Amino acid sequence: AQSVTQLDSQVPVFEEAPVELRCNYSSSVSVYLFWYVQYPNQGLQLLLKYLSGSTLVKSINGFEAEFNKSQTSFHLRKPSVHISDTAEYFCAVMRGSGGSNYKLTFGKGTLLTVNP
Amino acid sequence: KAGVTQTPRYLIKTRGQQVTLSCSPISGHRSVSWYQQTPGQGLQFLFEYFSETQRNKGNFPGRFSGRQFSNSRSEMNVSTLELGDSALYLCASSLDGPAQDGYTFGSGTRLTVV
């Protein structure tokens, strides 16, 4: 079975500051990794995903995450945040191959609050 | 194109009752999954359907059930409601599982059991 640990439940930062949201996973098999964002009273939106290939993946709004197999991590970073980035961010893992690969296992989430 | 539509958005039910939630996926999407979101447990996988077949099921009691119709629309049913079933229930759709194109989530149905 897979599990995900998001080390920080809340991360407050000032506008234009860099931010890193940490995610570690546990799995005995290969995995796919995802970051989702949830704004208040809304569903989740896919931010970016790692399936294979380049370990650095980027989103269209400036976020990036790097898959580190040796450290079993998939941290999310942004060099300069905006007020509009305030939301809850969820890291998720899915088994990479074989059976049961239709289920996402989510971390508990990190609430990013960007202050002016 | 239209997103994932979940109805109703809000629901209040009494303990012991049953409830049915509906999810209409994005046109062309054949995979539909359901998740329960609570402050204490976070996001937990309920089940996933593809072409009317349940492919995977989470660790929920038998009171939680679902189905998918030939047009890919899905429903989930919770019988004999308990206070602990109060949650945001999220439906997600994709062409064939989250790996191919990620999931598109609906806005959810917020169920309150009193």
Side-chain angles (χ1 to χ4, degrees):
Chain A
Q2 293 79 46
S3 66
V4 178
T5 302
Q6 291 185 243
L7 295 160
D8 306 296
S9 60
Q10 296 186 54
V11 174
V13 295
F14 288 109
E15 194 173 17
E16 297 183 5
V19 70
E20 178 181 79
L21 306 183
R22 297 179 292 171
C23 171
N24 285 89
Y25 69 92
S26 173
S27 177
S28 59
V29 298
S30 65
V31 295
Y32 298 144
L33 293 155
F34 306 80
W35 275 100
Y36 283 85
V37 58
Q38 185 176 34
Y39 298 99
N41 298 314
Q42 294 187 28
L44 281 72
Q45 299 174 28
L46 178 65
L47 198 55
L48 44 75
K49 62 181 178 179
Y50 170 78
L51 304 183
S52 63
S54 172
T55 57
L56 182 66
V57 291
K58 300 184 178 185
S59 73
I60 58 173
N61 57 354
F63 283 96
E64 63 180 36
E66 185 156 22
F67 169 58
N68 188 318
K69 187 175 181 179
S70 63
Q71 297 186 7
T72 60
S73 68
F74 191 55
H75 302 330
L76 182 69
R77 301 183 182 93
K78 189 171 186 180
S80 176
V81 294
H82 302 129
I83 298 284
S84 59
D85 292 325
T86 295
E88 190 148 25
Y89 292 77
F90 293 91
C91 182
V93 64
M94 189 182 83
R95 185 181 173 127
S97 61
S100 299
N101 60 340
Y102 311 113
K103 163 189 168 182
L104 286 171
T105 299
F106 286 90
K108 295 286 191 183
T110 297
L111 178 62
L112 173 65
T113 303
V114 182
N115 299 300
Chain B
K1 57 183 177 182
V4 177
T5 303
Q6 291 188 247
T7 56
R9 284 296 309 275
Y10 301 93
L11 207 48
I12 300 176
K13 288 287 187 178
T14 304
R15 270 183 304 175
Q17 287 186 313
Q18 75 165 18
V19 66
T20 299
L21 310 182
S22 179
C23 172
S24 294
I26 289 174
S27 178
H29 283 191
R30 297 164 67 188
S31 169
V32 174
S33 290
W34 290 88
Y35 288 81
Q36 181 196 64
Q37 186 177 25
T38 60
Q41 298 298 316
L43 284 149
Q44 293 187 288
F45 173 77
L46 281 156
F47 24 67
E48 190 260 357
Y49 288 88
F50 182 83
S51 293
E52 302 179 67
T53 299
Q54 186 182 86
R55 292 197 295 193
N56 205 352
K57 188 178 189 301
N59 297 322
F60 278 81
R63 300 185 296 107
F64 292 81
S65 63
R67 59 178 176 169
Q68 186 180 33
F69 301 96
S70 58
N71 62 357
S72 293
R73 190 177 70 85
S74 177
E75 290 181 347
M76 67 163 282
N77 184 277
V78 188
S79 62
T80 319
L81 284 165
E82 300 176 359
L83 294 179
D85 297 333
S86 294
L88 180 66
Y89 289 88
L90 292 165
C91 167
S93 77
S94 69
L95 289 169
D96 182 15
Q100 284 67 32
D101 57 334
Y103 271 143
T104 300
F105 280 82
S107 296
T109 293
R110 185 163 297 281
L111 172 64
T112 302
V113 182
V114 297

